[in-house]
Amino acid sequence: MVFRSIFSLSMLGLFLLSNLQAQSRLSSTINSNWLFCKGDTTQKAAGSNWKPVSIPHTWNTQDVLDDEPGYYRGDGWYKKTLFIPADWKDKDIYLHFEGAGQTAEAFINGKSVGKHAGGYTFFSFPIRSFLNFAAEGNRANELVVRVNNSHDDNLPPTMGDFNIFGGLYRDVYLNVLNHVHFDADNHATNGVFVTTPQVSATQATVQIKGAFVNQTNTERKLSISHRILKPDGSLLAEEKGSFSAAAGQKFDFIQTIKNIRGQRLWSPEDPYLYRIVSSLADATTGQLLDEVSNPLGFRWFRFDPNTGFFLNGKSLKLMGTSRHQDYPGMGNALSDAMHVRDVELLKDMGGNFLRVAHYPQDPAILQACDRLGILASVETPVMGFTDSEAFAASAKQQHREVILQHYNHPSVIIWSYMNEMLLRVPFGNDSTRQKMYLSHLAGLAQELENMARQEDSARYTLIPNHNAWEVYNKVGLTKIPKLVGWNLYFGWYYGTFDEFGKFLDKHHRELPDKPVLVTEYGADADNRIRSATPLRFDKSVEYTMAYHQASLKAILERPFVAAGMVWNLNEFNTAVRAETLPNINPKGIMTYDRREKDPYRFYKANLVKTPYIQVGAKEWNRRSGIADSETSLVCTQPVEVFANQPTVTLTLNGKPIGSAPTKQGIAQFKVPFRPGLNRLVATAAVAGTTISDQADIVFDLLPRQLKNAKLPFTELNVSLGDSRLFFDDKTGQNWLPEQAYQAGSWGYVGGKQFVMANNSRVGFGGSRNILGTELDPIYQTQRTGIEGFRFDVPPGDYELTLHFAELLSKNTGNDIAFNVGSRGGPRDEFKARSFDVLINGQVVVSGLSNSETLQTDQAVAIKCLVSVAGQEGVQVTFKSRLGEAVLNGIQLRKLR
């Protein structure tokens, strides 16, 4: 068995060598068998610190999700051994990185081969002169890469509502080329750039420009051919040319294939993709020296300030999302398949546009967009601005890399290069310095604009701005690019739903020559939180649904709005956020692990062309509620069905609930849930057939009177100070909102709902991360000054759990730039508190104090066993010793 494995590896090496001799270039990953250690240069030599890893890899998979503030930003070291065949001594060898977060320096055999700054663009280093070659067999070479993700004021991005993950988080390649090859030193591109300067329904022109190098010591006569191949490999068109290149010469070329006919157009409905294969050969012998392949799609497009976007002469509303590149437990070190899956999810939703924000992403993303028919905007990661030459140089370097590296993708129609640059403008107390700062910012924007138009005049340019109309116009950021994007959160961070459309109308009226795109809109939705009375900032799915309904309506009603981009396709990791999902921005219409939320279903119902139906909130598959009446054995709750058909019919356990029309793709029903399994089946008639969807929901029905013999009491979980329902998807438990005590039932006695004076945008509770729990929403709300809580349960043995957290702090609260609706004003005053807790008259907790056990933002759960013999039920009493008593949550479960 061992011999067979060794033989296989040897044969693989011989195959690669013979294959390289027969072909023009070899490009293969070197992702395996790396060692990694974290820390400074003194640690890198310590053998015990090195751990085996595979690429892609980031060292920020866990610390970005824990309760500790921040995450590691510093050095990380990678090393491996490269075994270089002797035959490669006469080749040009490049070390190619698809990305490293966010500065990198590579060493071979102890010597630096190159540095790169910028965490999201490709880079490569020629390494042949640093390698050891053996006369026979292989020779080991040590490759070491130092990566650093520390904050750097001169390296964009300098701010952002996302994490700067560290590591070699994308593929690493060895590229082995003949000495005559297409230019490999042009910002890690393949040296060939393809445009379609003329395209119509009947004919097209393709232009190919680039460069090749002759690294030999003699003049070479060379031929270049460019073949346009159909997906089946057959030839559509070809262009050839002959050139002479002196020894050591770099030769620039431009070739054109004219009068192409019979081409099939590329579009979201029919993403027909050609390949253009560029070959470099010896003109005398015909030997193939180099060959690269690039995607080619025939399409033409334009933006109009009055009528929106047009593709291939037809009006097309661009609808889609933005996307961040991380995943739980993996950081941003994703496989190609995971990147592709996100684009597939966007396509499945009916989207036709992806804002690749706020940085260029893995090559697999645009490859998938090309293949699936998703139009795209690609963004240079200029967020935040440091008024320095070094910052400007880095921004321009990264901008050029972004354009050249993604130039050949037919899906790309926009180069975007800044985002919300005036969200926090410094020097508020120095008007002269601030004026200079803004002038230099506008100057950099103009330089980036000029660069984009010089490198690629065919595509449009874009700057996305937040809603500060006056300041962006005054600084000039709405005048410089070809397109203007607005990140609008009316009805979320500020304003009302109605103001969304009014803002767009203002743009159309006052900037009539600038096409407009809604580059961001969205609202937080914690998929565990539901509300019958949704409020802004309550994180409920219901409020977020209302937000998206109003926003989509405003976008679709206005033909001049070229595009609407939901922020975001998926939830993403951001260590600066707390609230109900600490370290997560929950605006995604899918969860962090890519499960559908109702907003995703809403867009699918409005955007897909094929018949679609789905029961909403299917993930809320275990529910609780109070019986409609004392004699009733049902609890009526709303259910939404998403469909792109005019009418939907719903049944419950085989019995009809009724039919309802869809409005904006939503049909609404009131469903009388019974205890146990409730099977909902939604159907709609489509052209002589029926489409359907099913949801199975287990319902725990709670009696209004806890001694109701028809509905024996089993369990009750209550979130104090809360008007929302919370579903713990890990346990299947539902936490009901609080209610005042009524005889025979349950509820609180005395006190008031806690409202934080500052650092909270919702009208109740707090918003900081609660340590030691995943049930943050339960601990973020409370009733202060509470006197008691009663359960009028029958005799039996019960388990009672009390939940506490101190929400007042001696320190300032969390306030980040992107929470633009955060309230100002005075902070809550921290006050000492100490109180006793009694159950049925017996003290079970003595002197619970925020100077001892009850620490700020720390979850405290206390479980007690209670035996009820008579009719007193369970009576919890709170007696203050100092300040006010508090209670955040309470649970009662019958044991026997």
Side-chain angles (χ1 to χ4, degrees), residues 24 29 34 46 55 151 166 174 204 215 275 365 414 429 443 466-467 503 523 525 558 585 594 617 620 646 650 702 769:
S24 57
T29 60
W34 289 81
I55 308 301
H151 177 84
L174 273 183
Q215 300 282 41
R275 290 183 298 133
I365 290 292
I414 298 171
N429 297 323
H466 79 287
N467 71 310
F503 186 97
R558 290 164 171 80
N585 184 319
R594 279 49 167 188
W620 187 18
L650 188 68
L702 299 169
N769 182 16

Side-chain angles (χ1 to χ4, degrees), residues 76 82 214 251 314 418 423 469 488 582 586 596 647 676 705 733:
L82 296 177
N214 175 16
F251 195 102
K314 298 178 182 179
M418 287 180 168
L423 189 61
W469 175 271
L488 302 179
E596 294 180 4
T647 304
Q705 297 290 306
Q733 292 178 315

Side-chain angles (χ1 to χ4, degrees), residues 38-60:
K38 185 169 64 175
D40 60 26
T41 54
T42 59
Q43 290 178 299
K44 78 179 182 69
S48 61
N49 290 331
W50 293 93
K51 307 296 181 185
V53 298
S54 294
I55 308 301
H57 174 265
T58 175
W59 57 73
N60 297 123

Side-chain angles (χ1 to χ4, degrees), residues 614-896:
Q614 191 167 161
V615 178
K618 297 175 72 171
E619 58 280 354
W620 187 18
N621 54 12
R622 190 174 185 97
R623 307 189 188 185
S624 295
I626 301 170
D628 290 346
S629 68
E630 182 59 25
T631 59
S632 172
L633 292 178
V634 301
C635 175
T636 302
Q637 292 185 353
V639 169
E640 293 183 331
V641 178
F642 298 90
N644 58 2
Q645 304 304 310
T647 304
V648 171
T649 300
L650 188 68
T651 64
L652 174 63
N653 294 331
K655 297 180 180 180
I657 295 295
S659 297
T662 55
K663 182 179 180 181
Q664 272 196 295
I666 304 172
Q668 297 182 328
F669 299 89
K670 292 187 178 298
V671 175
F673 287 100
R674 294 184 174 275
L677 179 64
N678 293 259
R679 175 160 293 171
L680 295 171
V681 178
T683 58
V686 181
T689 186
T690 300
I691 59 173
S692 65
D693 186 52
Q694 175 180 309
D696 287 345
I697 297 168
V698 176
F699 202 92
D700 298 321
L701 187 62
L702 299 169
R704 286 185 171 271
Q705 297 290 306
L706 298 187
K707 296 177 183 177
N708 188 327
K710 293 182 179 180
L711 282 175
F713 176 86
T714 57
E715 180 180 306
L716 178 62
N717 313 294
V718 181
S719 180
L720 275 296
D722 207 343
S723 60
R724 309 162 299 176
L725 184 145
F726 175 80
F727 173 57
D728 183 354
D729 53 2
K730 289 184 170 59
T731 64
Q733 292 178 315
N734 287 273
W735 293 71
L736 301 186
E738 67 174 10
Q739 67 176 30
Y741 170 72
Q742 295 179 359
S745 185
W746 56 272
Y748 64 82
V749 177
K752 61 183 179 180
Q753 184 184 53
F754 173 74
V755 178
M756 187 169 280
N758 197 2
N759 194 34
S760 175
R761 293 165 292 140
V762 72
F764 56 87
S767 59
R768 291 193 302 267
N769 182 16
I770 306 299
L771 307 181
T773 183
E774 293 184 357
L775 303 180
D776 291 77
I778 302 303
Y779 288 98
Q780 287 169 342
T781 64
Q782 68 182 196
R783 180 154 285 268
T784 60
I786 188 170
E787 300 170 17
F789 200 101
R790 295 190 60 173
F791 301 90
D792 289 347
V793 291
D797 292 334
Y798 296 86
E799 178 186 87
L800 178 72
T801 306
L802 304 167
H803 298 269
F804 305 95
E806 178 57 71
L807 300 181
L808 297 180
S809 172
K810 297 178 182 178
N811 302 316
T812 58
N814 179 62
D815 184 18
I816 62 174
F818 298 92
N819 279 344
V820 294
S822 294
R823 292 202 292 257
R827 301 277 177 181
D828 292 279
E829 181 184 355
F830 180 84
K831 296 180 179 179
R833 73 175 85 248
S834 177
F835 56 93
D836 299 336
V837 182
L838 296 80
I839 300 177
N840 291 345
Q842 181 178 355
V843 176
V844 295
V845 180
S846 179
L848 186 60
S849 168
N850 59 7
S851 65
E852 297 175 345
T853 303
L854 197 59
Q855 297 295 308
T856 296
D857 298 334
Q858 177 71 53
V860 175
I862 299 173
K863 185 187 300 182
C864 305
L865 298 180
V866 185
S867 183
V868 178
Q871 300 301 312
E872 74 273 21
V874 176
Q875 299 183 37
V876 184
T877 305
F878 300 88
K879 289 190 175 181
S880 172
R881 295 187 179 190
L882 178 65
E884 293 183 315
V886 297
L887 181 64
N888 298 68
I890 191 167
Q891 296 174 278
L892 187 68
R893 181 167 67 94
K894 188 170 184 181
L895 301 176
R896 48 194 167 266

Side-chain angles (χ1 to χ4, degrees), residues 81-100:
T81 301
L82 296 177
F83 296 97
I84 304 299
D87 304 62
W88 290 6
K89 189 173 184 179
D90 294 325
K91 303 291 181 180
D92 286 344
I93 305 173
Y94 284 81
L95 189 61
H96 180 92
F97 299 83
E98 289 184 345

Side-chain angles (χ1 to χ4, degrees), residues 58-304:
T58 175
W59 57 73
N60 297 123
T61 58
Q62 305 301 319
D63 58 355
V64 291
L65 291 168
D66 61 26
D67 281 340
E68 292 295 322
Y71 55 98
Y72 178 74
R73 300 188 66 175
D75 278 342
W77 293 82
Y78 297 84
K79 70 176 180 180
K80 70 169 292 160
T81 301
L82 296 177
F83 296 97
I84 304 299
D87 304 62
W88 290 6
K89 189 173 184 179
D90 294 325
K91 303 291 181 180
D92 286 344
I93 305 173
Y94 284 81
L95 189 61
H96 180 92
F97 299 83
E98 289 184 345
Q102 61 181 344
T103 64
E105 182 175 10
F107 304 84
I108 290 182
N109 299 324
K111 297 179 179 180
S112 175
V113 300
K115 299 178 181 180
H116 182 265
Y120 306 100
T121 50
F122 316 153
F123 57 98
S124 64
F125 306 127
I127 61 172
R128 181 168 63 92
S129 62
F130 298 89
L131 294 169
N132 297 320
F133 296 90
E136 296 181 0
N138 296 335
R139 179 72 180 269
N141 293 266
E142 185 184 56
L143 168 60
V144 175
V145 184
R146 173 184 177 268
V147 185
N148 186 285
N149 67 333
S150 299
H151 177 84
D152 183 344
D153 283 335
N154 291 316
L155 179 62
T158 59
M159 65 179 294
D161 187 17
F162 55 94
N163 293 333
I164 307 296
F165 294 94
L168 293 178
Y169 71 97
R170 294 183 189 158
D171 293 333
V172 183
Y173 283 83
L174 273 183
N175 294 334
V176 185
L177 314 175
N178 291 308
H179 288 323
V180 179
H181 55 76
F182 290 110
D183 186 10
D185 294 303
N186 189 356
H187 299 285
T189 68
N190 63 22
V192 176
F193 304 92
V194 180
T195 56
T196 52
Q198 294 180 339
V199 179
S200 71
T202 57
Q203 66 177 16
T205 298
V206 174
Q207 185 180 85
I208 309 100
K209 62 181 180 179
F212 61 84
V213 295
N214 175 16
Q215 300 282 41
T216 68
N217 55 10
T218 60
E219 181 181 13
R220 301 292 292 268
K221 295 188 180 299
L222 304 167
S223 64
I224 298 181
S225 70
H226 306 284
R227 293 171 294 142
I228 300 176
L229 303 179
K230 300 176 184 179
D232 63 3
S234 61
L235 184 68
L236 175 69
E238 184 176 13
E239 177 69 16
K240 296 181 179 179
S242 297
F243 304 89
S244 293
Q249 182 182 6
K250 175 182 175 182
F251 195 102
D252 295 319
F253 65 85
I254 298 179
Q255 293 174 273
T256 303
I257 309 177
K258 299 180 179 179
N259 299 319
I260 300 169
R261 296 184 182 275
Q263 79 279 4
R264 189 162 155 183
L265 297 180
W266 183 98
S267 69
E269 295 76 23
D270 183 20
Y272 196 84
L273 202 59
Y274 295 87
R275 290 183 298 133
I276 183 161
V277 178
S278 301
S279 302
L280 182 63
D282 187 288
T284 303
T285 65
Q287 179 190 6
L288 180 65
L289 299 172
D290 198 10
E291 186 172 82
V292 296
S293 177
N294 287 294
L296 174 64
F298 290 102
R299 80 285 184 267
W300 75 97
F301 56 89
R302 66 182 176 91
F303 287 88
D304 185 275

